[in-house]
Amino acid sequence: MNRLQTYDSTKINSLINYRDGETKYGEKIKLFNYLTDLENPKIKFVLLGIPEDIGVRANHGIAGTKSAWDATLAALLNVQYNEFNRAENVILLGHLDFKDLDNLSENQDAKFLSKLVCEIDFAVSFWVNKIQSYNKIPIIIGGGHNNSFGILKGTSTALNKSINCINIDAHADLRATDYRHSGNGFSFAMENGYLNKYGILGLHKNYTNQYTIDLITNSTNIKGIWLDDLIHKNNLTESVSALIKFLEATSCGLELDIDVIKNSLSSATSPTGFTLEETRNIIYQITTQLKPAYFHIAEGAPDLANGKKDENMGKLISYLITDFTRNYKI
């Protein structure tokens, strides 16, 4: 089914660390078998993994984002099921399998990789469209930020309208649309009419080119908030509220690039940024006030190609997922 790999109970059980007297999240999460499962009115959130890093490599980044999904799934399934974490309204759709494209991508240049990114776009947009058409909220984990394009396309076509988006990110990913990669998903989405208003929270002045600065400055549909300014003004909550006001008139997606979190391993790790606690508070503010159409967590990498590892990455992402589902006002 268009690259979708689902999970059976045997696979899920093998990932759960059982303990007497406790119930784990993985014991209660729903497993996907047929499209009719998405008709279940009790299901509100649909979890989908995208283990790939082809888009990152096409943007000359460090490979490793394909490792985020497995780490996240293992951590999430072992979260405690309790009055704060209810899993009955979450269905585990599965992950999209791009192993064949990964094999083709070895030792290839950026232009060749961009062709593979377009194939990834197709599968991502297909499944996000399908999820949205059943009036469910996709939670998409793993891979590069190139997948924002497929997610925005799938959401926009399902809702039959251009949508807004808030991106918590050190980078705007508004590079030129010469060829597809992880740095221009939002550019392509705007160019194709899937993305209307775009807000970016946490931009780094040291890593934003003048082309992007001019684009943000001269567009009435793009609003950027700089991390550097937030550090000096100490007005994070007010800045998030300003972005919400800017975007709330229509359906709005929520994007989070792990590189915005200080010292978190990603394709572009940074020594400065939001703390995890600040990020969790941002997610709380957005989910309680904006009711996002989807949540996409990109660029996390527990295992980078340069040998760096972050054993807590899966747990970090699972905190963001449970924050989102716990605080979303249905």
Side-chain angles (χ1 to χ4, degrees):
M1 284 192 293
N2 288 287
R3 298 185 175 275
L4 181 69
Q5 296 293 311
T6 59
Y7 299 95
D8 59 21
S9 57
T10 300
K11 172 64 176 178
I12 296 305
N13 291 339
S14 72
L15 296 174
I16 299 173
N17 300 318
Y18 291 94
R19 180 174 291 182
D20 290 342
E22 298 180 357
T23 304
K24 298 296 180 67
Y25 199 87
E27 297 178 68
K28 295 294 184 178
I29 198 170
K30 305 295 183 183
L31 300 183
F32 175 81
N33 291 300
Y34 307 101
L35 282 174
T36 51
D37 292 340
L38 297 179
E39 295 177 352
N40 185 344
K42 294 182 180 179
I43 299 296
K44 190 61 181 177
F45 304 101
V46 179
L47 193 61
L48 175 65
I50 310 179
E52 66 83 30
D53 54 25
I54 296 172
V56 169
R57 287 183 282 133
N59 194 28
H60 308 290
I62 303 171
T65 56
K66 65 183 178 183
S67 63
W69 169 245
D70 284 344
T72 300
L73 184 62
L76 181 66
L77 294 177
N78 284 288
V79 165
Q80 291 287 343
Y81 172 83
N82 55 35
E83 65 180 88
F84 304 110
N85 295 318
R86 315 301 290 187
E88 293 91 346
N89 64 351
V90 182
I91 189 168
L92 174 57
L93 187 63
H95 73 270
L96 301 182
D97 187 351
F98 297 115
K99 288 189 180 70
D100 60 326
L101 300 186
D102 208 33
N103 292 333
L104 287 173
S105 72
E106 291 185 12
N107 302 315
Q108 298 292 342
D109 63 17
K111 292 297 177 67
F112 182 87
L113 295 179
S114 74
K115 298 176 183 178
L116 303 183
V117 174
C118 292
E119 292 194 43
I120 294 170
D121 289 341
F122 178 82
V124 172
S125 64
F126 174 88
W127 277 106
V128 171
N129 176 284
K130 192 68 68 175
I131 296 167
Q132 295 281 8
S133 68
Y134 282 89
N135 196 32
K136 309 303 181 186
I137 300 166
I139 302 174
I140 306 109
I141 308 298
H145 224 155
N146 46 289
N147 295 306
S148 61
F149 173 71
I151 295 167
L152 286 163
K153 177 182 178 181
T155 302
S156 173
T157 53
L159 300 180
N160 197 31
K161 63 179 180 180
S162 179
I163 68 166
N164 296 338
C165 182
I166 183 169
N167 181 23
I168 310 165
D169 198 340
H171 313 93
D173 292 339
L174 285 170
R175 292 183 182 274
T177 54
D178 45 356
Y179 65 94
R180 281 288 288 121
H181 53 70
S182 65
N184 59 17
F186 299 98
S187 307
F188 271 91
M190 295 194 89
E191 188 174 278
N192 286 274
Y194 305 128
L195 175 59
N196 180 28
K197 287 187 175 182
Y198 179 39
I200 315 109
L201 179 71
L203 285 167
H204 289 203
K205 292 180 178 179
N206 277 10
Y207 292 95
T208 303
N209 61 36
Q210 190 62 49
Y211 167 83
T212 300
I213 294 171
D214 292 341
L215 194 61
I216 294 171
T217 301
N218 297 322
S219 175
T220 57
N221 274 20
I222 304 174
K223 183 178 180 65
I225 295 179
W226 302 94
L227 173 70
D228 313 74
D229 295 339
L230 291 171
I231 291 171
H232 301 309
K233 296 178 181 178
N234 194 27
N235 62 342
L236 180 57
T237 299
E238 293 83 355
S239 296
V240 175
S241 294
L243 274 186
I244 291 173
K245 186 176 181 179
F246 174 67
L247 298 166
E248 64 185 352
T250 189
S251 299
C252 185
L254 172 58
E255 300 267 347
L256 187 143
D257 189 315
I258 291 295
D259 69 19
V260 83
I261 304 174
K262 180 180 179 180
N263 291 327
S264 291
L265 201 60
S266 71
S267 63
T269 304
S270 176
T272 186
F274 296 132
T275 65
L276 178 56
E277 289 71 30
E278 286 173 329
T279 304
R280 294 181 66 189
N281 194 50
I282 293 166
I283 298 301
Y284 172 82
Q285 192 174 349
I286 292 170
T287 54
T288 54
Q289 297 180 33
L290 196 58
K291 297 183 66 174
Y294 71 80
F295 187 23
H296 177 209
I297 304 174
E299 300 280 341
D303 190 359
L304 277 177
N306 62 7
K308 293 183 179 180
K309 298 181 184 297
D310 184 348
E311 295 180 356
N312 284 322
M313 181 55 64
K315 185 176 285 188
L316 182 156
I317 295 175
S318 71
Y319 269 107
L320 300 176
I321 293 170
T322 52
D323 283 348
F324 182 78
T325 58
R326 183 185 305 139
N327 296 308
Y328 196 102
K329 301 305 180 185
I330 300 173

